[in-house]
Amino acid sequence: MPDIQKTLVLLKPDALQRDLLGEIIARFERKGLKIVGMKFIRLNDAMLDEHYAHLADKPFFAGLKKFMMQTPVVGMVFEGFGAIEEVRKIVGSTNPLSADAGTIRADFSMAVPSNLIHASDSVENAQAEVNRFFAPEEIFQYEKITDKFVFGEGI
Ligand code: IDP
Ligand code: MG
């Protein structure tokens, strides 16, 4: 089995406006990913400059930042086997029109930047992004009675 990893998800302002927060969170819950961190975050310019530094020279950068500041976003940390890649699979590719059917972006969105959700894309980025948005005391380790069914111990 792959390592147990943590990964960062942000539910973007369009997910909040369109009442899709619960629908999106449910997909990760049903997979068995454990929510170990969850809160509202009001993003500001400096946070977005850092988070989207790889897009700073793109023509859509200013519009992307403005979009991400329209409402609070929901920050979440999920934990599970190979969580970084598993979450990206469930999210789908960046452009919702070329994302695979069954993914969140394909099923519920049609455009960028309003593709509903951010998810970390590598081990390095997941670590940096979890630390960027969550203090250590905001990450919670706890047991669920379903852990043994999801993680396979004792079955
Ligand atoms: P990702 O979110 O799938 O990792 P990135 O390339 O890291 O994709 O881009 C970050 C976000 O920037 C996208 O999720 C989307 O909201 C926005 N974005 C990406 N490409 C475009 C574009 O061509 N026009 C407008 N917004 C874009
Ligand atoms: Mg990205």
Side-chain angles (χ1 to χ4, degrees):
M1 294 298 276
D3 290 342
I4 292 189
Q5 300 174 326
K6 289 185 180 61
T7 190
L8 179 92
V9 159
L10 300 175
L11 306 183
K12 296 180 178 180
D14 52 332
L16 182 150
Q17 295 287 16
R18 295 180 53 211
D19 302 316
L20 288 171
L21 299 176
E23 178 82 42
I24 293 170
I25 293 168
R27 291 191 168 211
F28 297 117
E29 285 186 303
R30 290 188 312 216
K31 171 72 175 173
L33 288 150
K34 189 186 278 190
I35 301 169
V36 296
M38 185 168 174
K39 63 178 180 178
F40 259 145
I41 304 168
R42 177 63 87 171
L43 297 173
N44 62 37
D45 213 53
M47 290 158 98
L48 286 163
D49 280 343
E50 193 183 13
H51 184 63
Y52 283 137
H54 61 294
L55 301 171
D57 60 351
K58 301 285 189 206
F60 58 82
F61 187 58
L64 170 62
K65 289 202 296 181
K66 197 170 165 207
F67 162 67
M68 292 295 288
M69 291 189 280
Q70 279 177 4
T71 67
V73 297
V74 178
M76 305 191 70
V77 180
F78 286 100
E79 186 179 79
F81 288 125
I84 299 163
E85 196 182 326
E86 292 310 308
V87 166
R88 289 284 293 194
K89 265 195 241 168
I90 291 167
V91 167
S93 60
T94 309
N95 178 353
L97 297 183
S98 46
D100 291 335
T103 62
I104 291 166
R105 283 169 168 171
D107 289 359
F108 301 121
S109 65
M110 287 202 280
V112 281
S114 49
N115 57 4
L116 299 169
I117 183 164
H118 166 82
S120 307
D121 64 2
S122 67
V123 173
E124 299 71 36
N125 285 341
Q127 204 168 8
E129 291 176 359
V130 168
N131 292 336
R132 178 174 308 144
F133 294 110
F134 283 81
E137 64 271 17
E138 292 174 323
I139 307 282
F140 295 87
Q141 299 299 333
Y142 57 93
E143 280 184 22
K144 291 174 78 178
I145 55 169
T146 50
D147 278 352
K148 70 175 180 190
F149 298 103
V150 173
F151 295 103
E153 293 144 3
I155 292 180

